[in-house]
Amino acid sequence: MKRKLFEQFKKYHFEWKHLAVLFMVLIFFQLLVSYINKVSLHHLIDQTENWYKLDSAEKIANLTSTSIELLMETNPTKKTYSAEERRELIQAFNIIFSQQILQRNIQEVCLLGEIEGQYYAIDNGQSLFDFFYLDNPRLLQTEHVHDEAIGLYKELEENIRRKEQILSLEEGQVYKVFVPLVPRGEYFGALFMRIKPDFGFITTQITSNYDETALIFSALILFGLLAMFYISAYTVRERDEAQQLLFKERERYIKEHIAHQKEALFTKRIYHTHHKAEKIMGFIKEDLRNLNPNNFEDIRHRISQYANFISRVIYDMKWYDPPLQTIRSPIFKTDLNGVIRFIVDAIFQRTSSQSEAVQFTLKLDDRLPLVNINEFVVWEIIEPLIQNAIDHSKVETIHVEIQSHYDAQNQLGSIRISDNGKGIREDLLGKEADGIQRLFLENISTKEEGRRTGYGCYLSYQIALRCGWKISAENSSAGGASFIIFIPFGKISRKAPGTHEKNEGTQHAI
């Protein structure tokens, strides 16, 4: 049986580190319990101290005064006492005074009175007998140790005589109590007591109870923590198993979702480039019809570029997730300025319907380094942005300016494609939660709905991301909109042809 319990307990991996944690938690809870108990004790004492001190002081003083009054009432002042009776009466008075003084919380006790303007303080039986029973009270001697009490009595005599009620004064932890002495209904003076209530026995009892309570709490906390650990370990084990199943299901779902997204992007990319390939095939046919010995080299170069683009389109149809090395690799040495010139000259300027309505200005920085990106991937990024600038300008004469720039200090290149159109709606320039401008989201377009639009900017943005580039859009204060492609460079070891040190660009107007 013990072995089964041990094996059952062992699978929860109860180790010394767990004991250390439990011990630390126990100490923490013990300190917390101690603090709470001390605060509670302090609060209790604060709430009851004033009431208890005053009540206990007044009760003691009242009891003493009552004892004196009873003794005086049973021994009338008009009677003649023998020496033995006098001795017994004086002894009785002394017992009353001495019993109070023997209590450690009573610091001073005396009977205050006044005869013919003379104030007296009586603290023993002989003086009390002389004060009340002698025919000549002038023989009574005053005690200077009670001068403070006499002074207070002088100030309060009228109030005490009129009300005939107990009067208490608080001075820190000390109470000064005046009890009117009225034997047989006649006011004779007041009993004064200086009392400092003692809470030592209460504190001792509370401390003892607190230690017992703390020990019980510690034991309960320890057993509670052990039970919590057992239950939590079992719950965590069950949770971990459930989480593993959930993670596997989630992983499978994410993989399927990513695959679906890649397939959807692949389909849209192929659809978007299909009509471009058709247009390129038309250019090839036109060049072949116009081929002659004078333009052979120009047409051969142009047809070669067209054919490479068609090959790239066909190559992309092989898979929806092409390897990264087919996009960027050290083997690629692409001149971005050359790609821009070719796209403008061989694509957009050959469209007869736009040849007069669209004008291009190229301001290309010859210092722009070569990039390790497939030039036809660059083509897929730049061409849709130029087409978007033309399609959304909404002006009769469209002017498109393409400018490249290289910041050698920050090793950052840029390509800006600007137009003189109506600009981009402000809501499309806003950014989503992931920081992407809405213009570059899927199925976002300013064209009429139902024309399978919203792919151009989206595909350019997604392809640029795979190249390590970024694209942003903005409106110009002078009118029109701009697309800016940011191209980060690492350590550049090879410059583009025609690189020179001066920060000069070339202008090529078409």
Side-chain angles (χ1 to χ4, degrees):
M1 184 65 180
K2 293 183 178 179
R3 185 174 182 180
K4 290 183 178 179
L5 290 175
F6 178 76
E7 293 295 333
Q8 183 72 15
F9 196 68
K10 184 178 179 181
K11 69 180 182 179
Y12 293 107
H13 306 289
F14 194 82
E15 301 174 356
W16 285 107
K17 61 182 180 181
H18 300 134
L19 289 175
V21 172
L22 289 175
F23 182 71
M24 294 175 62
V25 173
L26 176 62
I27 292 177
F28 171 77
F29 274 97
Q30 182 63 45
L31 294 175
L32 181 62
V33 169
S34 300
Y35 174 76
I36 293 174
N37 275 273
K38 288 181 179 179
V39 171
S40 300
L41 177 62
H42 182 71
H43 181 70
L44 174 64
I45 292 177
D46 286 344
Q47 292 294 324
T48 60
E49 183 178 10
N50 292 333
W51 172 84
Y52 177 79
K53 287 181 178 180
L54 179 61
D55 183 70
S56 62
E58 291 181 351
K59 281 183 178 180
I60 293 173
N62 189 40
L63 180 61
T64 303
S65 175
T66 302
S67 300
I68 295 175
E69 288 178 353
L70 289 174
L71 189 59
M72 292 175 64
E73 288 178 358
T74 56
N75 296 275
T77 58
K78 296 181 179 181
K79 179 181 177 182
T80 301
Y81 294 93
S82 64
E84 181 64 24
E85 289 175 336
R86 290 178 60 184
R87 186 184 62 78
E88 290 179 356
L89 185 57
I90 291 172
Q91 185 179 6
F93 285 136
N94 282 330
I95 290 173
I96 295 174
F97 283 110
S98 61
Q99 283 182 341
Q100 306 306 325
I101 293 297
L102 289 175
Q103 299 186 42
R104 60 182 179 179
N105 61 323
I106 299 178
Q107 299 177 346
E108 182 181 356
V109 58
C110 64
L111 188 64
L112 302 172
E114 181 263 335
I115 297 179
E116 297 180 359
Q118 181 69 34
Y119 289 89
Y120 301 94
I122 303 170
D123 59 3
N124 59 76
Q126 183 64 53
S127 298
L128 181 59
F129 184 85
D130 293 343
F131 186 81
F132 285 102
Y133 292 93
L134 289 181
D135 293 336
N136 189 2
R138 293 186 178 89
L139 299 176
L140 184 65
Q141 299 295 324
T142 60
E143 296 290 343
H144 296 288
V145 294
H146 301 296
D147 288 346
E148 182 182 355
I150 293 174
L152 289 174
Y153 179 69
K154 290 180 180 180
E155 298 176 1
L156 303 173
E157 180 185 10
E158 182 64 27
N159 189 21
I160 297 173
R161 184 189 296 271
R162 186 178 68 255
K163 295 183 178 179
E164 291 189 1
Q165 294 180 353
I166 298 175
L167 180 62
S168 301
L169 302 177
E170 182 180 358
E171 186 178 292
Q173 299 294 325
V174 177
Y175 285 86
K176 300 174 182 178
V177 184
F178 294 87
V179 182
L181 188 65
V182 191
R184 294 184 295 273
E186 183 179 356
Y187 181 84
F188 280 92
L191 178 70
F192 171 79
M193 298 187 74
R194 184 195 303 270
I195 304 173
K196 184 178 182 181
D198 184 13
F199 278 86
F201 70 99
I202 297 178
T203 305
T204 302
Q205 185 64 31
I206 292 176
T207 303
S208 177
N209 292 336
Y210 165 74
D211 292 338
E212 295 177 3
T213 304
L215 182 61
I216 295 173
F217 278 5
S218 299
L220 291 176
I221 291 172
L222 178 59
F223 286 114
L225 291 174
L226 290 173
M228 289 173 58
F229 173 78
Y230 181 84
I231 295 173
S232 61
Y234 177 79
T235 304
V236 168
R237 183 167 62 89
E238 295 294 328
R239 184 206 63 187
D240 291 342
E241 293 177 358
Q243 280 186 342
Q244 288 180 359
L245 295 176
L246 180 62
F247 288 157
K248 290 181 180 179
E249 181 67 20
R250 180 65 176 173
E251 182 181 5
R252 183 183 64 81
Y253 170 78
I254 291 176
K255 288 181 178 179
E256 292 178 354
H257 182 67
I258 292 175
H260 176 73
Q261 284 185 326
K262 290 180 178 179
E263 290 177 357
L265 180 60
F266 167 71
T267 303
K268 294 168 184 176
R269 187 174 72 246
I270 295 304
Y271 170 81
H272 191 259
T273 56
H274 178 265
H275 76 279
K276 299 183 186 303
E278 289 182 336
K279 181 168 60 177
I280 297 301
M281 291 299 297
F283 291 158
I284 293 175
K285 292 178 181 179
E286 182 180 353
D287 283 340
L288 291 175
R289 286 195 300 267
N290 297 329
L291 183 64
N292 59 62
N294 297 327
N295 60 13
F296 179 78
E297 288 299 327
D298 292 339
I299 290 180
R300 182 184 66 82
H301 172 71
R302 192 161 57 238
I303 290 178
S304 176
Q305 291 294 96
Y306 289 155
N308 289 332
F309 177 75
I310 298 297
S311 298
R312 177 68 189 188
V313 173
I314 297 173
Y315 178 80
D316 285 345
M317 291 182 182
K318 292 182 179 180
W319 44 55
Y320 61 85
D321 188 19
L324 189 61
Q325 61 268 22
T326 64
I327 296 176
R328 53 181 179 177
S329 172
I331 64 174
F332 299 126
K333 306 295 180 183
T334 301
D335 179 8
L336 294 176
N337 292 336
V339 174
I340 294 172
R341 291 190 184 96
F342 182 82
I343 291 175
V344 172
D345 293 339
I347 301 296
F348 289 99
Q349 286 298 310
R350 292 196 62 170
T351 304
S352 58
S353 61
Q354 297 178 349
S355 59
E356 297 179 358
V358 181
Q359 298 178 359
F360 287 89
T361 300
L362 304 184
K363 297 180 179 180
L364 306 179
D365 191 345
D366 290 337
R367 300 177 306 152
L368 192 66
L370 302 178
V371 294
N372 301 127
I373 306 294
N374 188 308
E375 66 175 297
F376 300 103
V377 174
V378 176
W379 189 336
E380 290 183 281
I381 297 173
I382 296 177
E383 191 273 339
L385 299 180
I386 299 176
Q387 188 66 53
N388 188 86
I390 295 173
D391 293 342
H392 298 274
S393 294
K394 298 180 181 180
V395 293
E396 293 183 359
T397 302
I398 302 170
H399 181 244
V400 179
E401 179 179 279
I402 303 176
Q403 180 181 5
S404 64
H405 177 71
Y406 177 63
D407 182 355
Q409 182 177 359
N410 297 315
Q411 293 188 346
L412 179 66
S414 64
I415 298 175
R416 177 182 290 269
I417 302 171
S418 306
D419 62 67
N420 63 333
K422 300 296 184 180
I424 302 172
R425 295 202 318 261
E426 291 298 329
D427 62 303
L428 297 181
L429 296 177
K431 293 184 178 180
E432 296 293 307
D434 53 5
I436 301 177
Q437 290 179 296
R438 294 191 69 251
L439 180 65
F440 300 109
L441 297 180
E442 185 178 5
N443 296 323
I444 297 296
S445 176
T446 57
K447 292 182 179 180
E448 298 178 2
E449 296 183 1
R451 296 179 55 188
R452 296 184 65 83
T453 59
Y455 296 155
C457 294
Y458 168 70
L459 290 175
S460 293
Y461 189 87
Q462 294 298 326
I463 296 172
L465 286 181
R466 300 206 68 183
C467 296
W469 299 356
K470 292 183 179 180
I471 304 178
S472 66
E474 63 184 21
N475 286 326
S476 174
S477 58
S482 298
F483 291 98
I484 306 99
I485 305 173
F486 298 96
I487 307 166
F489 291 92
K491 294 181 179 180
I492 305 301
S493 60
R494 178 179 178 183
K495 300 292 183 179
T499 301
H500 49 80
E501 296 297 325
K502 294 183 179 180
N503 186 12
E504 295 179 355
T506 60
Q507 291 193 6
H508 177 55
I510 302 176

